[in-house]
Amino acid sequence: MPVAKRLSDLFPYHELRENGYYGHGKILREYAGVRLPYRINGSIQHGWHEGAGIYSAPEKDTDELFGKRYYVWTTDNVLAARERGFRNVVALGAPFIYMPPMPCIEPKPSSLILFLGHGSEWEPLNDPIADYRRFFETHAEILAGFSNVTISLYWLEYENKDLVRYLERLGLKVVTMGHRDNNPAFLDNFRRHVSEHEFFGSNYYFTATFYALHMGMKTFVLPSDFDLNWSDFRPRMDAVQETMIERYPQLLYSNFNGECHRWISDYELGVEYKRSPKDLRRMFEWSPRVSRRISRP
């Protein structure tokens, strides 16, 4: 292989964009203990997904896509991906489970942090203030039982100053984890902010919910629909939430017993598939011999 081609394959400016979401590539490189910023030889699932974990519309599937390598989180993701026709799919677990242990942080008693529905880079919320107002009006009595409440906004909503002012007038502390792209501190921020609280709440069963459970948080769900402006996606999302409520009813606030059901996150984040640093290097084809050879004077 030409030297130029070998070198170009090692560095992350050739990395797939989605592998940089939430700092996933950095987390996996640090866990594997490699010195060079090797690229990942496939696409990493970047958020919890009830289906294939591959973020392409089925109507756009092609034989070329079916042959690419995908690293997904769980057995369910593998089976769903293969059912769609993807041939090169491996269960790896969520990058979140590869993060190093955190320093111990003493949470504020009876404090709550909320992660609610949000828009995306391609589909913003139609009326975020109306969505958040509906949530807080619906659950006002429950939320009043906590000593203090923090709400984390996705960066899109955080830039909406009217929304931030509305939430602050409710007496909430408003924070953000920052941008999804090119932000290796995203999940470090997540763990730091979440660990300062005793309870974690969400209005959907989604990625942050399972991350909080993995951290040992007392986690519950307070259902409240947001107008996500995804007309073609909404029926499936509603069906997914109904399925998750049936699967994990103990996470609903109406059933909440103040305990952390971490076993749920073990399954949904694919903890059984967590690899050793050596296995990760082998899987991603990260060769220490290449690293040593290139670093010689």
Side-chain angles (χ1 to χ4, degrees):
M1 180 186 295
V3 173
K5 176 65 166 67
R6 188 171 66 231
L7 285 170
S8 70
D9 281 347
L10 293 177
F11 290 92
Y13 50 79
H14 288 282
E15 185 71 276
L16 294 173
R17 179 184 177 185
E18 60 265 28
N19 293 345
Y21 293 166
Y22 312 111
H24 284 170
K26 178 176 181 288
I27 290 168
L28 294 171
R29 279 186 283 271
E30 289 183 348
Y31 175 84
V34 295
R35 294 184 178 181
L36 286 176
Y38 292 98
R39 73 170 187 173
I40 294 166
N41 59 359
S43 176
I44 300 285
Q45 177 179 334
H46 60 264
W48 178 84
H49 194 274
E50 85 292 348
I54 296 171
Y55 298 88
S56 65
E59 63 271 15
K60 295 183 180 180
D61 287 346
T62 63
D63 193 62
E64 181 183 1
L65 287 177
F66 287 151
K68 290 184 177 181
R69 179 174 292 186
Y70 297 90
Y71 295 104
V72 297
W73 291 7
T74 69
T75 299
D76 289 348
N77 298 136
V78 170
L79 294 176
R82 288 178 179 168
E83 186 176 345
R84 266 179 63 183
F86 293 96
R87 301 184 294 272
N88 194 1
V89 185
V90 179
L92 182 68
F96 190 82
I97 68 178
Y98 290 86
M99 297 183 76
M102 281 188 64
C104 184
I105 297 177
E106 190 67 30
K108 301 171 184 174
S110 193
S111 57
L112 169 67
I113 187 166
L114 292 169
F115 280 70
L116 306 182
H118 60 79
S120 71
E121 283 72 7
W122 59 92
E123 289 282 4
L125 294 173
N126 279 328
D127 189 346
I129 293 179
D131 289 330
Y132 281 84
R133 178 181 292 115
R134 185 167 60 253
F135 174 85
F136 284 104
E137 289 177 352
T138 302
H139 300 298
E141 186 174 347
I142 292 171
L143 298 174
F146 294 92
S147 61
N148 58 79
V149 180
T150 298
I151 185 164
S152 175
L153 298 180
Y154 195 47
W155 72 269
L156 285 168
E157 284 76 42
Y158 192 74
E159 290 188 348
N160 183 331
K161 299 309 177 187
D162 290 335
L163 174 62
V164 171
R165 281 192 291 269
Y166 165 72
L167 295 171
E168 289 177 339
R169 285 198 300 269
L170 294 179
L172 305 175
K173 178 182 177 181
V174 183
V175 299
T176 184
M177 306 302 117
H179 282 250
R180 173 189 71 174
D181 296 19
N182 302 315
N183 180 13
F186 189 100
L187 291 177
D188 288 324
N189 293 338
F190 177 92
R191 295 201 301 175
R192 175 171 53 82
H193 282 295
V194 169
S195 62
E196 293 172 351
H197 299 79
E198 184 177 0
F199 296 91
F200 179 100
S202 59
N203 62 331
Y204 294 107
Y205 290 72
F206 60 2
T207 309
T209 312
F210 303 119
Y211 286 171
L213 287 168
H214 185 71
M215 291 174 61
M217 296 292 295
K218 300 172 183 177
T219 301
F220 57 82
V221 177
L222 287 167
S224 178
D225 289 337
F226 275 25
D227 187 2
L228 295 172
N229 194 27
W230 299 342
S231 56
D232 57 339
F233 178 69
R234 189 54 190 254
R236 185 169 71 83
M237 182 174 180
D238 291 342
V240 168
Q241 293 304 309
E242 290 177 9
T243 297
M244 298 307 290
I245 288 172
E246 291 177 4
R247 184 181 299 175
Y248 303 125
Q250 58 271 67
L251 292 185
L252 287 177
Y253 187 81
S254 55
N255 301 326
F256 183 57
N257 61 4
E259 297 179 4
C260 172
H261 303 283
R262 181 167 175 169
W263 62 272
I264 294 174
S265 69
D266 287 350
Y267 183 81
E268 297 297 340
L269 300 183
V271 168
E272 65 178 304
Y273 295 107
K274 183 177 180 180
R275 311 303 174 103
S276 70
K278 182 179 179 180
D279 287 342
L280 210 61
R281 292 194 297 270
R282 183 185 300 115
M283 181 181 298
F284 292 155
E285 300 171 325
W286 292 343
S287 169
R289 292 193 300 276
V290 173
S291 176
R292 287 197 295 272
R293 184 164 62 246
I294 291 174
S295 64
R296 273 184 202 154

